């Protein structure tokens, strides 16, 4: 799993309880599909970037469908938890689109910026198998986690956040876009409040066109 920012070197994994909560959220919402495959959750916190990968590996297949989401975050603002929430919603949107269309989707294969819940979010779709990737790292002598995983202050940014906050809070009101961009998505957001985030289907198909 590779970060989007070139400056992203040192990282810490999501706290165990957050990874378990994310796993539970996806298992609950995608229960009808998960009998046919496994769910792999990977999350990293870099100095200025939150990175989430939700992997779906169908039984009997080597290629793993990975829904990867990256967002900028600020240690000063201590907004890591909010950004994790945004990433979870975006990954869920990608996964739902993928499953509902039997994998026939038009996702970006390199990092692509999208407006989502009033924030700038970056998405990409990959097919790396997490287990095979880990085995390859061991063969290359990278089994020593200290080579690529170093502790830094980003861990403190998350530990200071409210541990009681749920993984599906009310929509983030922060706005990183201009008023004109916000108006374009206003009707979509009112519908999405009741049916969950959708980025590549329904009224949001205009965003799908941006992938070409």
């Amino acid at each position: 799993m590779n970060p989007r920012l070139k400056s992203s070197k040192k990282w810490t994994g999501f706290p165990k309880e957050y990874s378990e909560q994310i796993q539970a959220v996806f298992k609950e919402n995608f229960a009808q599909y998960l009998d046919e495959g496994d769910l792999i959750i990977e999350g990293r916190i870099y100095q200025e970037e939150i990175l989430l990968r939700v992997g779906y590996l169908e039984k009997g297949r080597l290629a793993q469908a990975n829904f990867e989401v990256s967002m900028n975050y600020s240690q000063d603002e201590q907004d890591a938890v909010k950004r994790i929430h945004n990433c979870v919603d975006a990954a869920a949107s990608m996964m739902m689109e993928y499953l509902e269309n039997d994998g026939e989707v038009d996702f970006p294969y390199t990092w692509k910026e999208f407006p989502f819940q009033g924030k700038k979010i970056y998405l990409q779709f990959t097919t790396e198998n997490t287990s095979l990737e880990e085995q390859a790292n061991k063969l290359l002598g990278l089994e020593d986690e200290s080579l690529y995983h170093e502790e830094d202050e980003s861990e403190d940014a998350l530990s200071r956040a409210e541990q009681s906050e749920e993984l599906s809070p009310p929509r983030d009101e922060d706005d990183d876009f201009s008023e004109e961009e916000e108006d374009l998505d206003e009707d979509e957001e009112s519908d999405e409040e009741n049916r969950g985030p959708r980025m590549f289907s329904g009224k949001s198909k205009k965003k799908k066109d941006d992938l070409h």
Side-chain angles (χ1 to χ4, degrees):
M1 183 166 66
N2 297 314
R4 171 179 52 87
L5 299 177
K6 292 182 179 180
S7 61
S8 292
K9 303 295 184 182
K10 300 178 181 180
W11 58 272
T12 59
F14 285 6
K16 182 179 179 181
E17 63 269 23
Y18 270 76
S19 295
E20 290 176 348
Q21 287 181 57
I22 294 170
Q23 186 97 8
V25 167
F26 275 84
K27 283 186 174 180
E28 179 181 353
N29 287 279
F30 296 96
Q32 67 187 93
Y33 301 101
L34 295 180
D35 286 341
E36 302 174 3
D38 297 321
L39 188 67
I40 302 97
I41 304 294
E42 300 172 78
R44 295 180 182 180
I45 304 171
Y46 293 90
Q47 289 279 10
E48 299 176 322
E49 177 182 3
I50 297 292
L51 180 60
L52 171 67
R53 173 197 275 180
V54 176
Y56 174 67
L57 181 60
E58 292 185 68
K59 294 178 180 178
R61 299 192 63 178
L62 291 178
Q64 178 177 305
N66 298 315
F67 314 104
E68 300 187 5
V69 186
S70 169
M71 289 193 77
N72 295 340
Y73 97 103
S74 168
Q75 293 185 43
D76 293 335
E77 294 181 13
Q78 300 181 22
D79 60 352
V81 174
K82 288 183 178 180
R83 302 293 75 83
I84 290 175
H85 294 157
N86 294 137
C87 289
V88 168
D89 283 351
S93 174
M94 293 179 72
M95 186 170 176
M96 179 61 74
E97 183 74 5
Y98 178 89
L99 294 172
E100 287 184 344
N101 291 279
D102 297 321
E104 298 295 323
V105 290
D106 193 9
F107 293 154
Y109 284 85
T110 56
W111 290 116
K112 177 82 173 180
E113 179 185 316
F114 291 90
F116 188 67
Q117 298 179 354
K119 307 295 293 184
K120 290 182 180 179
I121 203 163
Y122 300 83
L123 309 177
Q124 73 174 4
F125 178 82
T126 67
T127 56
E128 292 177 341
N129 183 301
T130 298
S131 178
L132 295 180
E133 189 178 16
E134 291 175 351
Q135 292 177 35
N137 286 339
K138 290 182 180 180
L139 290 174
L140 293 172
L142 299 178
E143 68 272 22
D144 183 359
E145 199 171 272
S146 64
L147 292 177
Y148 56 93
H149 178 194
E150 301 181 50
E151 298 296 328
D152 69 351
E153 293 181 358
S154 60
E155 185 176 39
D156 294 334
L158 186 55
S159 65
R160 288 194 298 266
E162 280 192 45
Q163 297 300 312
S164 61
E165 187 175 8
E166 296 180 358
L167 272 173
S168 296
R171 288 288 181 262
D172 189 0
E173 297 298 331
D174 294 340
D175 186 8
D176 278 359
F177 292 91
S178 66
E179 292 183 5
E180 181 178 348
E181 288 173 306
E182 184 178 1
D183 290 341
L184 289 175
D185 292 333
E186 189 173 304
D187 293 336
E188 294 173 38
E189 291 174 355
S190 62
D191 291 338
E192 286 172 355
E193 288 180 358
N194 295 322
R195 60 184 176 87
R198 301 301 298 273
M199 301 180 68
F200 297 95
S201 66
K203 290 188 176 183
S204 297
K205 277 191 175 179
K206 63 181 181 181
K207 295 174 186 173
K208 180 176 178 180
D209 293 337
D210 292 338
L211 301 180
H212 298 295

